[in-house]
């Protein structure tokens, strides 16, 4: 699958732009604040019906205007597809596929799969465990609506159960019967979610390790593990064992809402020992593994957006990444960088088809 | 509109009261109040009287706890209704919805809400104990659970199930599935999946 052309109107700092892309490597270069990342974000928007950076659409409209419009022409499974997103301040956003308006945006998400690698991914390593759960949930639920439904129900039951525990403490009462109803719902959905997270991770971990070894030149040993209390003990048993603790803390102590990923570099947590370049390599390998997963789930090659990918990486690793993405397992790729020579230097050495765009003040300047 | 200035304190009071109603903002409240000002005094008196009378005289049926004018509501006191079947619903709006189908000839039991600790509603705030009492009289053969399909609805269903599982009443729940006249392609996959799981014998559907 690839994006053939994109037209942008009043999106962020881009007043108007019409771009024709090639089916492989497309590079944007320009100074800080020129609008390179906004170009990527417009492409992201067409796949996810929202901005990667800001979910509030009114803030994505160019200053002093009151609407934005994005239009992309794709070739998907040999068919031409036109996707357009429009938003006018104060009204509902409209997303159309082949001129037909979607009633539910969730019907669109997943049809034009895309992976974005951005400097803000660092929060996956540096942030709390919720960031890592959000990453897992986001990837799985794109193709599995039942997973999402389970997750929503689980979170709702958890919220009610925690409220119930607070009420018990406030009123100095306890009712095992009603608490156990919430336990049943947590168990039903929690076990399903755990199983799907486990399947997902056991699928991507070897792929991740392969990519990390490739990019780093096999110098470092990395570990990625699914860390869940449900790995060893059924949730039913855990909830039963934690009742007293739950009553004391007024909070549910066991469940998939405590899941995390263990990220190791060598034998130590990467959060504590990883350099910025190692972190970036780790995240890139993880996102490439996500790419492979999406490719299998969707049955087509997702679009890959690499925002400022070369920052913080040494030249060997940059070369390895470019070597990797120019292989046939990857499809259309969009890259941003601040320096033209740097870009040309890198992509010039590979035979893959490529196109370079210069962005100045939110405009295409070739 | 928050800091609007009303030339009349009386007007402001009335707007404040209307704005307390669900779904009514201050703009709409002002429109309603100005409308009442243009009405005949007798009309406005009837309007006020109806509300006061409603609040003072409304009763809850002593059998099903639905809103009623009499001690026992018109459905529960109707000899033509089948008293051996009870349909459990959240509130009067659900009773009205089911009555409009004209497909149901049993009685109801109005819980007055569903279990939600977040909103401070526990089983003791609902008419669950009275439902169990009704079932224990032995007159009831079937209890139909007709609560919303939210997590809170499921919780309440499950709670009632636990309370009734030692009785020999037949506990059923309303079917969930594809809407009539709906196209499969546009049915969400959760609903459709459930419809496939709980499929029906075709012969039963054409009877």
């Amino acid at each position: 699958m690839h994006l053939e052309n994109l037209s942008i109107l009043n999106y962020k700092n881009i007043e108007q732009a019409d771009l024709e892309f090639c089916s492989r490597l497309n590079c944007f270069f320009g100074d800080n604040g020129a609008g390179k990342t906004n170009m990527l974000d417009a492409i992201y928007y067409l796949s996810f019906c929202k901005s990667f950076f800001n979910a509030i659409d009114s803030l994505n409209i160019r200053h002093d205007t009151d609407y934005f419009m994005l239009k992309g022409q794709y070739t998907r499974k040999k068919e031409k597809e036109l996707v357009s997103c429009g938003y006018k301040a104060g009204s509902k956003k409209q997303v159309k596929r082949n001129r037909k308006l979607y009633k539910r945006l969730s019907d669109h998400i997943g049809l034009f799969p895309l992976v974005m690698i951005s400097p803000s991914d660092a929060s996956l390593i540096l942030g709390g465990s919720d960031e890592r759960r959000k990453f897992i949930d986001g990837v799985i639920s794109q193709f599995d609506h039942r997973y999402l439904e389970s997750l929503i129900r689980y979170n709702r039951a958890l919220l009610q159960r925690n409220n119930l525990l607070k009420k018990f403490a406030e009123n100095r009462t306890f009712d095992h019967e009603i608490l156990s109803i919430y336990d049943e719902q947590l168990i039903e959905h929690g076990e399903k979610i755990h199983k799907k997270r486990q399947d997902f991770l056991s699928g991507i971990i070897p792929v991740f390790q392969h990519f990390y070894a490739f990019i780093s030149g096999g110098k470092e040993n990395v570990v990625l593990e699914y860390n869940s209390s449900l790995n060893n003990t059924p949730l039913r048993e855990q909830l039963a064992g934690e009742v007293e603790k739950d009553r004391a803390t007024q909070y549910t102590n066991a469940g998939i809402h405590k899941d995390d990923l263990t990220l190791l570099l060598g034998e130590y947590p990467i959060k504590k020992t990883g350099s910025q370049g190692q972190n970036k390599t780790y995240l890139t390998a993880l996102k490439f593994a996500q790419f492979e997963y999406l490719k299998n789930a969707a049955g087509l090659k997702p679009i890959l957006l690499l925002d400022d990918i070369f920052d913080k990486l040494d030249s060997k690793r940059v070369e390895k990444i470019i070597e990797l993405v120019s292989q046939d397992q990857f499809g259309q790729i969009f890259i941003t960088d601040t320096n033209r020579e740097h870009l040309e230097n890198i992509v010039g050495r590979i035979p893959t088809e490529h196109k370079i765009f210069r962005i100045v003040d939110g405009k295409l300047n070739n | 509109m928050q800091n609007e200035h009303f030339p009349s304190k009386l007007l402001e009071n009335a707007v404040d009261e209307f704005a307390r109603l669900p779904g009514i903002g201050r703009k709409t409240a002002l429109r309603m109040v100005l409308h009442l000002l243009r009405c005949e005094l007798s009309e406005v008196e009837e309007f006020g009287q109806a509300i006061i009378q409603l609040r003072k005289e409304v009763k809850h049926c002593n059998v099903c706890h639905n809103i009623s004018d009499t001690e026992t509501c018109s459905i529960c006191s109707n000899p033509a209704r089948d008293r051996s079947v009870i349909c459990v619903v959240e509130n009067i709006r659900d009773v009205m919805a089911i009555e409009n189908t004209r497909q149901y000839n049993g009685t109801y039991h109005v819980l007055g809400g569903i279990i939600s600790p977040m909103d401070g509603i526990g089983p003791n705030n609902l008419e669950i104990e009275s439902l169990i009492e009704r079932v224990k009289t032995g007159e009831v053969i079937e209890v139909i659970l007709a609560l919303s399909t939210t997590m809170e609805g499921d919780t309440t269903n499950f709670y009632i199930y636990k309370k009734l599982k030692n009785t020999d009443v037949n506990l059923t729940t309303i079917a969930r599935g594809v809407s009539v006249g709906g196209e499969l392609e546009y049915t969400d996959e959760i609903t459709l999946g459930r419809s496939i799981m709980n499929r029906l014998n075709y012969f039963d559907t054409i009877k």
Side-chain angles (χ1 to χ4, degrees), chain A residues 153 156 160 167 180 185, chain B residues 116 118 149 152 154-155 162:
Chain A
R153 294 225 160 208
R156 188 82 191 162
Q160 291 284 23
K167 292 265 154 25
S180 71
Q185 305 194 52
Chain B
S116 173
M118 257 172 81
T149 59
E152 286 75 15
D154 287 352
T155 303
K162 282 194 144 187

Side-chain angles (χ1 to χ4, degrees), chain A residues 33 96 107 110 137 158 218 249 263:
Chain A
K96 291 180 189 167
D107 290 343
D137 294 340
L158 181 67
T249 55
L263 314 176

Side-chain angles (χ1 to χ4, degrees), chain A residues 100 103-104 143-146 149 153 156-161 163-164 167 175-178 180-182 184-185, chain B residues 115-120 122-123 149-152 154-156 158-160 162-163 176 186-190 194:
Chain A
K100 193 165 177 290
K103 279 193 194 137
R104 281 183 315 197
F143 288 96
D144 191 341
H145 291 203
R146 283 170 47 212
E149 173 78 10
R153 294 225 160 208
R156 188 82 191 162
L158 181 67
L159 181 71
Q160 291 284 23
R161 191 181 190 270
N163 268 286
L164 186 67
K167 292 265 154 25
D175 179 349
H176 191 270
E177 195 162 28
I178 178 111
S180 71
I181 293 174
Y182 291 107
E184 290 303 327
Q185 305 194 52
Chain B
I115 298 173
S116 173
M118 257 172 81
D119 305 304
T149 59
T150 56
M151 191 242 119
E152 286 75 15
D154 287 352
T155 303
T156 313
F158 204 74
Y159 186 83
I160 294 172
K162 282 194 144 187
K163 290 287 183 190
R176 294 152 190 202
Y186 296 114
T187 307
D188 73 281
E189 58 196 64
I190 309 288
R194 220 175 156 137

Side-chain angles (χ1 to χ4, degrees), chain B residues 154-171:
Chain B
D154 287 352
T155 303
T156 313
N157 281 341
F158 204 74
Y159 186 83
I160 294 172
Y161 158 73
K162 282 194 144 187
K163 290 287 183 190
L164 291 180
K165 72 178 172 195
N166 292 327
T167 65
D168 47 9
V169 73
N170 186 12
L171 193 63

